[in-house]
Amino acid sequence: MNSSAKPNTIAVDNSHAEPSFTASKALQERFHAVIPGGSHTYAKGDDQFPEHMAPYIERGAGCRVWDVDGNEFIEYGMGLRSVTLGHAFAPVVSAAQAEMTRGINFGRPATLELATAEEFLDLTQAGDMVKFTKNGSDATSAAVKLARAYTGRDLIAVCADHPFFSVDDWFIGTTAVSAGIPKAVREQSLHFRYNDIASLEALFAAHPNNIAATIMEVERDVPPLPGYLQAVRDLCTQNGVILIFDEIVAGFRSHISGGQGVHGVRPDLSAFGKALGNGFSIAALTGRRELMELGGLRQKDRDRVFLLSTTYGAESHSLAAARTVMQIYRQEPVIAHLNEQGERLRQGLLAAVRDHNLEDNVPIFGQSSCLFYGSRDAQGHPSQAFRTLFLQETLRRGLLLPSFVISYSHTPAVVDTTIERVHAALGVYRRALDEGIDKYLVGRPVQSVYRARN
């Protein structure tokens, strides 16, 4: 599935029929009547999409999805970056189906749990022990709990430049959506800035011997400065602070071992998820044995941590899916494809942006396997209205792209089609800048997930 060919010359694609969202709009009130927010994930909510263009999905295959109106979209959300191989990827689905016929949950550990754990540790080289759970929030929160138990300290240093670590109070209390979280809990999480080692040093100096853990992604939308990650590692070691890397997105996308595999700096604990199951619900906490054993039955010198004891943490079909994903990564050039086609996409998007003189308005950034875009107004300020316009115009052209997340199923031809359609959408963006956005935008702008009031 790899190709190093250059993107085709950009041409406007006017062949896609204007989609109708009649059936999706008819379902909206029913969703909100029974599901708070109308979605089980805020990032998938109606408020994240144009007011009259929020499709409800019926099915997906590869890099495409179809909604209840029968509209077909090339998708670049990919399950909030969890689907790296493609929707309904046959080998993964077959493995999960086969395991389900053998039972999915027992009163004692299944041998599949051991096999999957051994394979995970051997493949990622990210820790001495691993414990599986169902989502990344549980894994990062368990890492924080281990760090607090091991150090006897309460405070957590959280990277302010990374958008999400957990649904639990220790993180959500740091956002604008802090209703229901006690002030005492909110005050236990402190912020530092990425690529600014002085900000972390200042935290440690202001709270000597009180910080249990530093948690961060290794690399998000900007790369680490030379020496930065090693400086973080050294500073944590010197101050007795546990270093936690959130590899939920980067693991199996930027590298099998995540960002630590790319940059060669090892944390004490790591949280993996998303791509590990290609959309199946599985995440992993891994790290140094002396930390992980705090949740075990063999250590005798410290109080025991109640660590990730979940009824569904080792459901066999998700473990089977993860094993198959890991085997595919061993056998096929998945990450090379993500990087190559992601870079093909980046270069095509940058060319489209230049064609419309939008370099200051629509920046393209991030790692090639996980690209982001910005939306800025005529003054160069971030604009939710212009983000909405871009989403509106790309949806009209058969693209579903809250970001530009590539998968193994995005072929060179699909990428080139995407570039052509984005080029056409950017033409509308350009005209809206020149003539006024009210002439082109239909409905209200999208809103931030992290807001205190609706």
Side-chain angles (χ1 to χ4, degrees), residues 167-170 172-186 452:
V167 299
D168 289 330
D169 290 357
W170 67 268
I172 294 299
T174 70
T175 75
V177 197
S178 59
I181 300 173
K183 181 180 179 183
V185 174
R186 300 198 304 268

Side-chain angles (χ1 to χ4, degrees), residues 39-263:
S39 170
H40 288 94
T41 310
Y42 284 117
K44 300 180 184 181
D46 299 338
D47 57 347
Q48 302 304 295
F49 292 87
E51 188 170 3
H52 305 293
M53 303 176 75
Y56 290 104
I57 305 303
E58 284 278 333
R59 63 187 179 91
C63 64
R64 288 178 166 83
V65 295
W66 290 261
D67 71 5
V68 293
D69 288 279
N71 299 312
E72 176 184 328
F73 300 97
I74 301 173
E75 203 215 341
Y76 286 92
M78 303 310 291
L80 304 180
R81 302 175 181 84
S82 67
V83 180
T84 56
L85 299 177
H87 298 301
F89 201 77
V92 178
V93 172
S94 295
Q97 286 176 327
E99 198 60 44
M100 288 174 71
T101 66
R102 293 158 48 86
I104 63 173
N105 206 331
F106 312 109
R108 281 282 292 158
T111 54
L112 181 60
E113 298 177 40
L114 173 62
T116 310
E118 289 177 338
E119 187 156 355
F120 175 89
L121 294 172
D122 179 66
L123 182 62
T124 64
Q125 296 292 302
D128 303 315
M129 304 180 79
V130 63
K131 199 157 191 185
F132 296 118
T133 186
K134 300 309 289 182
N135 61 73
S137 289
D138 287 347
T140 54
S141 293
V144 166
K145 184 189 293 187
L146 282 179
R148 283 172 163 159
Y150 185 81
T151 62
R153 305 170 182 178
D154 292 335
L155 302 182
I156 306 297
V158 180
C159 184
D161 298 299
H162 297 154
F164 186 82
F165 289 104
S166 176
V167 299
D168 289 330
D169 290 357
W170 67 268
F171 172 71
I172 294 299
T174 70
T175 75
V177 197
S178 59
I181 300 173
K183 181 180 179 183
V185 174
R186 300 198 304 268
E187 290 175 344
Q188 291 178 342
S189 294
L190 313 170
H191 278 150
F192 68 97
R193 306 312 299 257
Y194 188 73
N195 270 337
D196 182 357
I197 194 65
S199 71
L200 189 59
E201 290 174 332
L203 272 190
F204 288 177
H207 305 277
N209 301 317
N210 283 317
I211 296 178
T214 296
I215 185 166
M216 60 187 294
E217 293 188 58
V218 183
E219 178 179 354
R220 182 72 177 184
D221 50 354
V222 297
L225 294 172
Y228 171 71
L229 293 173
Q230 189 59 53
V232 172
R233 170 69 278 177
D234 293 343
L235 190 62
C236 287
T237 301
Q238 293 160 12
N239 287 272
V241 175
I242 301 302
L243 178 58
I244 303 167
F245 281 170
D246 180 337
E247 302 280 19
I248 301 296
V249 172
F252 293 83
R253 179 168 285 280
S254 63
H255 190 281
I256 287 172
S257 300
Q260 61 193 278
V262 175
H263 297 287

